[in-house]
Amino acid sequence: IVVDDGGTQGLEDLLHRRVDKRCKLRVMRHESTLGLMIAKQTGGDAAVGEYIGFFDCHVAPNRHWHREVIQHLRAQPRRLVVPIIGDLDLDTWDEKHVGGSNSKCYITWNAEFMWFEDSSDFIPVISGGLVATTRE
């Protein structure tokens, strides 16, 4: 499900041309901009699958991102899981082939958003731009 939150260009035709036909793409549209949280609520309310993932437009999940996410959700259905995302070239939005992956974030007391990595599966702050959970 993709929610077009009142965009001026309209995403549906573009997405149907570019997204693999095997994908069960559904595009929903707000006629006016209602904001990020309302767009997420619209998509979440329309979702019918066992697993629900939220990805903002600036997020590009790695290939097969869902495998580890589903593994974690099956182990503990009442949790939030943040998939690893690649490092993006901010000029082209393509994934950097030599870049690292960012998977954990925190916010400093000066409201700076920072990425880090460690060996733990736990994170102190969940990024609003990407998160998955179950219907439970």
Side-chain angles (χ1 to χ4, degrees):
I1 299 171
V2 173
V3 178
D4 179 346
D5 189 33
T8 57
Q9 296 179 346
L11 291 175
E12 190 161 9
D13 290 337
L14 172 71
L15 290 172
H16 280 294
R17 285 192 310 268
R18 298 190 69 183
V19 172
D20 190 308
K21 300 297 182 219
R22 294 175 291 176
C23 177
K24 297 177 185 176
L25 175 65
R26 180 172 173 199
V27 179
M28 304 181 76
R29 178 171 167 72
H30 294 157
E31 291 304 316
S32 62
T33 302
L34 301 178
L36 178 63
M37 297 314 295
I38 299 299
K40 287 184 181 201
Q41 185 71 48
T42 297
D45 288 347
V48 295
E50 182 178 352
Y51 306 103
I52 302 171
F54 296 92
F55 297 90
D56 288 355
C57 62
H58 60 86
V59 175
N62 292 327
R63 186 179 176 136
H64 304 301
W65 64 270
H66 61 284
R67 292 178 181 167
E68 186 175 11
V69 169
I70 289 173
Q71 176 185 345
H72 284 295
L73 290 173
R74 283 182 177 155
Q76 179 56 264
R78 293 183 55 96
R79 70 168 25 153
L80 299 172
V81 176
V82 177
I84 294 174
I85 61 169
D87 192 11
L88 300 179
D89 180 320
L90 296 180
D91 292 323
T92 65
W93 293 100
D94 292 326
E95 186 172 0
K96 292 180 182 177
H97 296 290
V98 294
S101 290
N102 298 314
S103 60
K104 298 182 181 186
C105 60
Y106 65 93
I107 300 172
T108 70
W109 289 110
N110 292 327
E112 295 172 294
F113 187 81
M114 308 294 285
W115 289 101
F116 75 99
E117 182 56 62
D118 67 10
S119 60
S120 165
D121 280 342
F122 300 100
I123 57 174
V125 177
I126 293 177
S127 167
L130 64 159
V131 65
T133 190
T134 65
R135 186 155 298 285
E136 263 185 65

